[in-house]
Amino acid sequence: MPRSDTTRPRPAWFFREYEPVGIDLGSPAAVAAYDRNQGTDPDADDALLDRLGVVAGSRLVDLACGTGSLVVQAARRGAEAHGVDVSEEMLAFAQARAERVGASAGWHRAGFLDYVHRAGHADVVTTKSALHQLPDFWKQQALLNVAVMLRPGGTFYLWDVIFSFPPADFEERLQRWIETAGRPEDQGFTRADFEAHVREEFSTYAWILEGMLERAGFEIVSHAPRTPTHGEFVCRRR
């Protein structure tokens, strides 16, 4: 799948967002395994959509939509739903998921940094388990782009590996997370997967994200650190 016509040109110095770090998702089998490991759950997707007020006629954009479960559930309830991802394999899986249930959604091969939403301002923008693909400088640019695509008063939902422990405790906290979260092969993400995440990806502290969100033009409605290593922000565009 070529890049979407909803992308903007990028100069040579731009971050290489189409070369993601971390787990290799370059094959259909790897994407299917990722979907299983994520624990995709339509009921959980519906519960989140209820929380965010997504109803028939709402316009939702899910950035780095992955295997598309949230987009599909939004489309099934009558929302105008758009899934955006840099991965051809992810989008193919997501489209197949939508087709199996007769859901109609827009699919765009694009990234946080170059996606241009051309279908009118979104009511809700979401991203889950993906912003950590960008270093902090580029996270800020991504959040500015999110603000552009949202209507004033629109909702931005962010869930990710977000650190809320004291920085001085990083070694103990991360080691504990890796040891307790890792699963055997074929039963979820492994210890090696989590080690690679810490070593190669760009998860950051909640207090850093708070500043970025405010500078991008968001009011933080709620911040829930579910664990010392994971959390969510619900924000409103000013």
Side-chain angles (χ1 to χ4, degrees), residues 122-190:
D123 300 297
V124 178
V125 175
T126 57
T127 187
K128 301 199 302 178
S129 301
L131 193 62
H132 64 257
Q133 289 278 332
L134 301 179
D136 283 358
F137 175 86
W138 295 105
K139 286 187 183 72
Q140 183 69 79
Q141 311 316 311
L143 294 173
L144 288 166
N145 196 28
V146 171
V148 168
M149 68 185 75
L150 264 174
R151 64 171 174 79
T155 298
F156 174 50
Y157 177 84
L158 167 64
W159 162 268
D160 212 332
V161 176
I162 299 170
F163 302 139
S164 57
F165 51 76
D169 296 344
F170 81 98
E171 190 166 359
E172 173 194 352
R173 295 286 192 163
L174 291 175
Q175 190 64 44
R176 185 186 309 169
W177 173 46
I178 290 165
E179 291 176 353
T180 57
R183 298 288 182 265
E185 291 283 353
D186 301 322
Q187 295 183 30
F189 293 119
T190 66

Side-chain angles (χ1 to χ4, degrees), residues 4-8 10 17-18 60-63 82-85 106-119 145-146 148-149:
S4 171
D5 59 4
T6 56
T7 58
R8 62 170 63 89
R10 295 146 58 103
E17 193 175 7
Y18 289 75
L60 174 139
V61 177
D62 189 24
L63 294 170
H82 298 264
V84 180
D85 206 283
W107 303 104
H108 311 273
R109 187 174 180 227
F112 283 107
L113 301 171
D114 68 349
Y115 178 62
V116 179
H117 190 64
R118 302 191 189 282
N145 196 28
V146 171
V148 168
M149 68 185 75

Side-chain angles (χ1 to χ4, degrees), residues 75-121:
R76 294 183 74 179
R77 61 174 58 196
E80 179 189 320
H82 298 264
V84 180
D85 206 283
V86 298
S87 168
E88 295 180 77
E89 291 78 11
M90 286 285 201
L91 290 171
F93 190 103
Q95 287 178 298
R97 166 173 271 145
E99 290 168 3
R100 285 196 299 272
V101 298
S104 178
W107 303 104
H108 311 273
R109 187 174 180 227
F112 283 107
L113 301 171
D114 68 349
Y115 178 62
V116 179
H117 190 64
R118 302 191 189 282
H121 283 105

